[in-house]
Amino acid sequence: QVQLVESGGGLVQAGGSLRLSCAASGSIFRIMAWYRQAPGKQRELVADITSGGSTNYADSVKGRFTISKDNAKNTVYLQMNSLKPEDTAVYYCYAQRVLGTVYWGKGTLVTVSS
């Protein structure tokens, strides 16, 4: 059974940093990503990384967030710097197998105070 376990969320002040981790078990993934959902808003893609290491970022986080992975551990990270109150959201880990099966983590809350 594939399981994605996020960690690293919490409360930080604007301008601060957090690093989120997502440990995946049970499979090898073509794409791993971070999504987020704020109250009253739709879930949006924050960043993703392919098995080959290519990365993609939402315009709102470019230059501030960095996605990376450890292939041996099937773990993906999201380093978040210069956090803003508008970054407040539940952050979800996402993983997709080569054949297309998608898995989601339960989410970790990031709250950025002003």
Side-chain angles (χ1 to χ4, degrees):
Q1 180 66 42
V2 171
Q3 186 176 24
L4 307 181
V5 180
E6 303 106 329
S7 62
L11 173 64
V12 298
Q13 294 182 345
S17 298
L18 283 174
R19 189 171 90 146
L20 305 182
S21 298
C22 173
S25 63
S27 188
I28 298 174
F29 303 100
R30 176 173 177 245
I31 299 171
M32 298 189 75
W34 288 96
Y35 285 74
R36 67 185 181 187
Q37 187 167 23
K41 297 183 179 179
Q42 294 187 326
R43 189 172 297 187
E44 64 176 349
L45 176 67
V46 177
D48 62 56
I49 185 165
T50 69
S51 59
S54 297
T55 58
N56 176 61
Y57 298 92
D59 288 341
S60 60
V61 306
K62 286 181 179 177
R64 299 189 297 121
F65 292 9
T66 302
I67 189 169
S68 61
K69 65 176 180 177
D70 182 336
N71 286 329
K73 295 183 177 181
N74 263 355
T75 299
V76 64
Y77 306 93
L78 185 68
Q79 178 66 47
M80 304 184 293
N81 298 325
S82 301
L83 283 162
K84 304 174 181 179
E86 50 262 44
D87 294 318
T88 296
V90 176
Y91 284 71
Y92 297 91
C93 186
Y94 163 103
Q96 182 181 21
R97 290 182 177 175
V98 173
L99 268 55
T101 305
V102 170
Y103 303 91
W104 291 92
K106 294 181 179 180
T108 185
L109 178 62
V110 172
T111 302
V112 184
S113 65
S114 60

